[in-house]
């Protein structure tokens, strides 16, 4: 069953960014614009351009303590003699030297990011106009000190065109729903610009007013079916051209492993969506839609849930002492880490912290992780907690406090790495103790044993050796 009314409520109550956040975002953007116009930043500002999910109206509400971000381009006239890196560095200087933004600012390769105390951040990027000839627009790559052509206005126009073909705002609604699946399930990686482009390429002019996009669940099913068919015909990573700059391949945002994982999970979710629509009763359909979206879909309905069943199975495995069986790994791969009961965090071989607690212990400690083919390989990609990985290569774990700040110099870091896989336990490699970082505050871990493993960061004050902060577990699922 389609459950059109339930989809309307689900989008409004759970998926869409609520109006309070939108208003706050718009107010903050206007404040940034006024600040920059009044600053001593040398480039002459022409205008500001919204970019990304904000401009495309596909931005979604943050899930599970995550953040929503907005992209703001500042279009400027070129400054004689300035390199690409100088535009970004000097923009960063302006914010870092200000009383308003100094403690919120981080300078990246293409942009300056302002992270607020709540769940919002804004990326501000210079967009240089008419540098080589009239009409060109270029973003600035600080790392490689080069200018890259960009056509953000044309790309947004393309998105609006595709949404017009789908009718009823179906393109945007389906895109938000697929982003929600990505963020809540954490089963695959796909940056928003790549995902939005893949979806847009699945809609054509002749779709206008067709039954395939008659309502939100129909549009979602149509897009996922078409996307799955396209992906299954391409076992190797394909080209995904930027519609406004055909020479740019958005598929470069994936590596081969990420593409294969995305391809597999689109196929799986496509089948689950088909099953939900084909269900003959409302109760059965809600259960199957919750398999796709989790318990927030049609919340309040008293029906049996697929994820609840999976959670019960996981708990039964733990009670039977079988937490290390392959079936638990398969359940987590299908349903995400949300099915893991709290008891999973404290296996028998886990060692408690050996430091005395400080007068105040912060939980505002975050672990970030990057997969790499080897410890010293130069190129990797960011992974999410609970993301399934192959049993090869490894992960660099890093730690931040207050969302983006490095650990203070008067503290040091220890990592607790805990393995749970059957092979690891049989080989007495369950670990669960505390280990020093490999490089700075970072910790390298090779991926070897199938299982659901945990990495936690603990921050200790040097002066009195007291524990001042620790992170939530970062889950690594090895297939």
């Amino acid at each position: 069953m389609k459950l059109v009314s339930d989809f309307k409520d689900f989008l409004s109550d759970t998926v869409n960014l609520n109006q309070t956040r939108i208003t706050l975002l718009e107010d903050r953007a206007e404040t940034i614009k006024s600040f920059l116009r009044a600053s001593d930043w040398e480039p002459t500002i022409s205008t500001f351009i919204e970019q990304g999910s904000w401009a495309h109206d596909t931005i979604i509400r943050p899930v599970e303590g995550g953040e929503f971000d907005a992209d703001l381009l500042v279009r400027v006239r070129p400054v004689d003699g300035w390199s690409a890196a100088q535009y970004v560095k000097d923009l960063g200087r302006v914010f870092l030297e200000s009383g308003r933004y100094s403690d919120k600012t981080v300078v990246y390769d293409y942009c300056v990011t302002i992270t607020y105390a709540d769940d919002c951040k804004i990326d501000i990027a210079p967009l240089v106009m008419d540098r080589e000839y009239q009409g060109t627009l270029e973003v600035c790559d600080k790392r490689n000190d080069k200018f890259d052509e960009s056509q953000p206005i044309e790309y947004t126009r393309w998105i609006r065109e595709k949404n017009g073909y789908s009718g009823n705002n179906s393109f945007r609604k389906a895109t938000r729903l697929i982003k929600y699946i990505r963020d809540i399930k954490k089963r695959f990686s796909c940056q928003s610009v790549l995902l939005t482009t893949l979806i847009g390429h699945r809609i054509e002019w002749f779709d206008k007013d067709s039954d395939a996009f008659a309502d939100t669940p129909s549009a979602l099913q149509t897009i996922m079916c078409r996307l799955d068919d396209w992906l299954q015909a391409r076992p190797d990573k394909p080209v995904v051209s930027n519609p406004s700059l055909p020479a740019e391949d958005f598929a470069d945002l994936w590596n081969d492993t990420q593409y294969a994982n995305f391809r597999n999970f689109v196929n799986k979710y496509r089948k689950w969506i088909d099953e939900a629509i084909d269900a003959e009763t409302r109760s059965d359909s809600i259960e199957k839609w919750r398999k796709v979206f989790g318990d927030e879909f049609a919340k309040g309905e008293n029906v049996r849930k697929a994820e609840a069943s999976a959670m019960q199975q996981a708990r039964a495995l733990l009670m039977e002492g079988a937490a290390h069986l392959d079936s638990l790994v398969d359940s987590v791969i299908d349903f995400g880490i949300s099915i893991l009961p709290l008891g999973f965090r404290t296996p028998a071989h886990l060692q408690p912290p050996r430091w005395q607690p400080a007068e105040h212990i912060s939980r505002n400690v975050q672990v970030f992780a990057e997969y790499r083919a080897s410890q010293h390989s130069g190129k990797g990609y960011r992974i999410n907690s609970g993301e399934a990985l192959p049993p090869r290569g490894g992960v660099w774990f890093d730690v931040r406090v207050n969302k983006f700040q490095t650990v203070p110099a008067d503290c040091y870091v220890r990592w607790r790495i805990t393995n749970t896989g059957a092979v690891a336990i049989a080989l007495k490699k369950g670990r669960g103790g505390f280990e020093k970082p490999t490089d700075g505050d970072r910790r390298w871990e090779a991926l070897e044993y199938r299982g659901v493993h945990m990495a936690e960061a603990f921050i200790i004050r040097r002066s009195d050796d007291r524990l001042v902060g620790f992170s939530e577990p970062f889950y690594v699922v090895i297939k």
Side-chain angles (χ1 to χ4, degrees), residues 202 228-239 259 263:
R202 310 281 79 80
D228 181 48
D229 289 345
W230 188 82
L231 293 169
Q232 295 308 310
R234 292 159 177 82
D236 297 322
K237 188 176 74 170
V239 172
Y259 171 71
R263 181 173 178 264

Side-chain angles (χ1 to χ4, degrees), residues 253-402:
L253 297 170
W254 272 324
N255 61 30
D256 291 338
T257 300
Q258 287 174 308
Y259 171 71
N261 189 58
F262 178 78
R263 181 173 178 264
N264 290 337
F265 273 98
V266 167
N267 179 255
K268 178 176 292 188
Y269 289 125
R270 179 251 183 101
K271 293 174 182 176
W272 288 356
I273 289 168
D274 288 345
E275 290 171 359
I277 286 182
D278 291 340
E280 295 183 358
T281 68
R282 174 174 173 79
S283 177
D284 190 32
S285 183
I286 289 175
E287 178 190 345
K288 288 178 166 55
W289 280 119
R290 285 180 176 173
K291 191 175 179 181
V292 178
F293 295 112
D295 290 348
E296 290 299 306
F297 184 85
K299 56 186 176 183
E301 292 275 347
N302 185 21
V303 298
R304 184 172 60 87
K305 309 173 189 69
E307 287 198 26
S309 176
M311 185 178 293
Q312 291 172 359
Q313 293 173 15
R315 285 173 176 160
L317 287 170
L318 288 170
M319 292 178 66
E320 294 168 6
H324 312 300
L325 294 181
D326 285 351
S327 55
L328 182 64
V329 177
D330 293 335
S331 294
V332 172
I333 289 175
D334 278 345
F335 295 101
I337 57 177
S338 62
I339 71 163
L340 293 173
L342 288 176
F344 184 84
R345 297 184 176 195
T346 55
H349 57 283
L350 188 79
Q351 298 180 20
R354 58 177 180 265
W355 305 275
Q356 290 295 317
E359 61 280 0
H360 172 70
I361 297 180
S362 173
R363 299 302 303 273
N364 200 0
V365 179
Q366 301 84 32
V367 171
F368 296 91
E370 184 177 86
Y371 175 85
R372 293 196 183 183
S374 66
Q375 181 176 350
H376 301 294
S377 62
K379 188 175 182 180
Y381 63 90
R382 177 73 60 86
I383 62 171
N384 296 313
S385 179
E387 184 172 339
L389 300 170
R392 57 182 179 274
V395 173
W396 274 109
F397 293 104
D398 204 353
V399 58
R400 292 289 184 270
V401 298
N402 299 328

